[in-house]
Coordinates of all heavy atoms in Angstrom, one line a residue:
I21 N 0.8 -1.2 0.1 CA 0.0 0.0 0.0 C 0.9 1.2 0.0 O 0.6 2.2 -0.7 CB -1.0 0.0 1.3 CG1 -2.0 -1.1 1.1 CG2 -1.7 1.3 1.3 CD1 -2.8 -1.4 2.2
K22 N 1.9 1.1 0.7 CA 2.9 2.3 0.9 C 3.6 2.6 -0.4 O 3.6 3.7 -0.9 CB 3.9 2.1 1.9 CG 4.8 3.3 2.0 CD 5.9 3.0 3.2 CE 6.9 4.3 3.3 NZ 8.0 4.0 4.3
A23 N 3.9 1.5 -1.2 CA 4.6 1.6 -2.5 C 3.6 2.2 -3.5 O 4.0 3.1 -4.3 CB 5.1 0.4 -2.9
T24 N 2.3 1.8 -3.5 CA 1.3 2.1 -4.4 C 1.1 3.7 -4.1 O 0.9 4.6 -5.0 CB 0.2 1.5 -4.3 OG1 0.3 0.1 -4.4 CG2 -1.0 1.9 -5.3
F25 N 1.0 4.1 -2.9 CA 0.7 5.5 -2.5 C 1.8 6.5 -2.9 O 1.6 7.6 -3.5 CB 0.6 5.6 -0.9 CG 0.3 7.1 -0.5 CD1 -1.1 7.6 -0.5 CD2 1.4 7.8 0.0 CE1 -1.3 8.8 -0.1 CE2 1.0 9.1 0.3 CZ -0.3 9.7 0.4
E26 N 3.1 6.1 -2.8 CA 4.2 6.8 -3.1 C 4.3 7.0 -4.6 O 4.8 8.0 -5.1 CB 5.5 6.3 -2.6 CG 5.6 6.5 -1.1 CD 6.9 5.8 -0.6 OE1 7.5 5.0 -1.2 OE2 7.1 6.0 0.6
Q27 N 3.8 5.9 -5.4 CA 3.8 6.1 -6.9 C 2.7 7.1 -7.3 O 2.8 7.9 -8.2 CB 3.4 4.7 -7.6 CG 4.6 3.8 -7.7 CD 4.3 2.5 -8.3 OE1 3.2 2.2 -8.4 NE2 5.3 1.8 -8.8
S28 N 1.5 7.0 -6.6 CA 0.4 7.9 -6.9 C 0.6 9.3 -6.6 O 0.2 10.2 -7.2 CB -0.9 7.3 -6.3 OG -1.2 6.0 -6.7
V29 N 1.1 9.4 -5.3 CA 1.3 10.8 -4.7 C 2.7 11.0 -4.3 O 3.0 10.8 -3.1 CB 0.3 11.1 -3.6 CG1 0.4 12.5 -3.1 CG2 -1.1 10.7 -4.0
P30 N 3.7 11.2 -5.1 CA 5.1 11.1 -4.8 C 5.5 12.3 -3.8 O 6.5 12.1 -3.1 CB 5.9 11.3 -6.1 CG 4.9 11.9 -7.1 CD 3.4 11.6 -6.6
N31 N 4.8 13.4 -3.7 CA 5.3 14.5 -2.9 C 4.7 14.5 -1.6 O 4.9 15.4 -0.7 CB 4.9 15.8 -3.6 CG 5.8 16.0 -4.7 OD1 6.9 15.5 -5.0 ND2 5.2 16.7 -5.7
S32 N 4.0 13.4 -1.1 CA 3.3 13.4 0.1 C 3.9 12.2 0.9 O 4.3 11.2 0.4 CB 1.7 13.1 0.0 OG 1.2 14.3 -0.7
A33 N 3.8 12.5 2.4 CA 4.3 11.5 3.2 C 3.1 10.5 3.5 O 2.0 10.8 3.5 CB 4.6 12.1 4.5
F34 N 3.5 9.2 3.5 CA 2.5 8.1 3.9 C 2.3 8.1 5.3 O 3.2 7.5 6.0 CB 3.1 6.8 3.2 CG 2.0 5.7 3.3 CD1 0.9 5.7 2.8 CD2 2.6 4.5 4.2 CE1 0.0 4.6 2.9 CE2 1.7 3.5 4.4 CZ 0.3 3.4 3.7
E35 N 1.1 8.4 5.9 CA 0.8 8.3 7.2 C -0.5 7.5 7.2 O -1.4 7.8 6.4 CB 0.5 9.7 7.9 CG 1.9 10.6 7.7 CD 1.6 11.9 8.3 OE1 0.5 12.2 8.8 OE2 2.6 12.8 8.3
Y36 N -0.5 6.7 8.2 CA -1.8 5.9 8.4 C -2.0 5.6 9.8 O -1.2 5.8 10.7 CB -1.6 4.5 7.6 CG -0.5 3.6 8.3 CD1 -0.7 2.7 9.3 CD2 0.9 3.8 7.9 CE1 0.1 2.0 9.8 CE2 1.9 3.0 8.4 CZ 1.5 2.1 9.5 OH 2.4 1.3 10.0
T37 N -3.3 5.3 10.1 CA -3.8 5.0 11.4 C -4.9 3.9 11.2 O -5.4 3.7 10.1 CB -4.5 6.1 12.1 OG1 -5.5 6.6 11.4 CG2 -3.5 7.3 12.5
F38 N -5.1 3.1 12.3 CA -6.0 2.0 12.2 C -7.4 2.6 12.7 O -7.3 3.4 13.7 CB -5.6 0.8 12.9 CG -4.5 0.1 12.3 CD1 -3.2 0.2 12.9 CD2 -4.6 -0.6 11.1 CE1 -2.0 -0.3 12.2 CE2 -3.4 -1.3 10.5 CZ -2.2 -1.1 11.1
I39 N -8.5 2.1 12.1 CA -9.8 2.5 12.6 C -10.1 2.3 13.9 O -10.8 3.0 14.7 CB -10.8 2.0 11.6 CG1 -12.1 2.8 11.8 CG2 -11.1 0.6 11.8 CD1 -12.2 4.1 11.3
D40 N -9.7 1.1 14.4 CA -10.0 0.7 15.9 C -9.2 1.7 16.9 O -9.7 2.0 17.9 CB -9.7 -0.7 16.1 CG -8.2 -1.0 16.0 OD1 -7.5 -0.3 15.2 OD2 -7.7 -2.0 16.6
E41 N -8.1 2.1 16.4 CA -7.4 3.1 17.4 C -8.1 4.5 17.3 O -8.3 5.1 18.4 CB -5.9 3.3 16.9 CG -5.1 2.1 17.1 CD -3.6 2.3 16.3 OE1 -3.6 3.2 15.7 OE2 -2.8 1.4 16.6
N42 N -8.6 4.9 16.1 CA -9.3 6.0 16.2 C -10.8 6.0 16.9 O -10.9 7.0 17.6 CB -9.8 6.5 14.7 CG -8.6 6.9 13.9 OD1 -7.5 7.3 14.4 ND2 -8.7 7.0 12.5
L43 N -11.4 5.0 16.8 CA -12.6 4.7 17.5 C -12.3 4.7 19.1 O -13.1 5.2 19.8 CB -13.3 3.5 17.0 CG -14.0 3.6 15.6 CD1 -14.5 2.3 15.2 CD2 -15.0 4.7 15.7
E44 N -11.3 4.0 19.4 CA -10.9 4.0 20.8 C -10.6 5.4 21.4 O -11.0 5.6 22.5 CB -9.7 3.0 21.0 CG -9.3 2.8 22.5 CD -8.1 2.0 22.6 OE1 -7.9 1.2 21.7 OE2 -7.5 2.1 23.7
S45 N -9.9 6.2 20.7 CA -9.7 7.4 21.1 C -10.8 8.4 21.3 O -10.9 9.1 22.2 CB -8.6 8.2 20.4 OG -9.0 8.5 19.0

């Protein structure tokens, strides 16, 4: 997923979070 993201949007940093962590917070 990171490789695909970097190919699609090369000037952006790949940051991710999991939905369960978001819901928990």
Side-chain angles (χ1 to χ4, degrees):
I21 294 172
K22 183 178 179 182
T24 305
F25 180 83
E26 288 174 350
Q27 279 181 345
S28 301
V29 188
N31 295 332
S32 296
F34 179 67
E35 296 177 7
Y36 64 92
T37 58
F38 293 104
I39 191 73
D40 62 334
E41 293 171 353
N42 289 345
L43 289 174
E44 182 181 340
S45 68

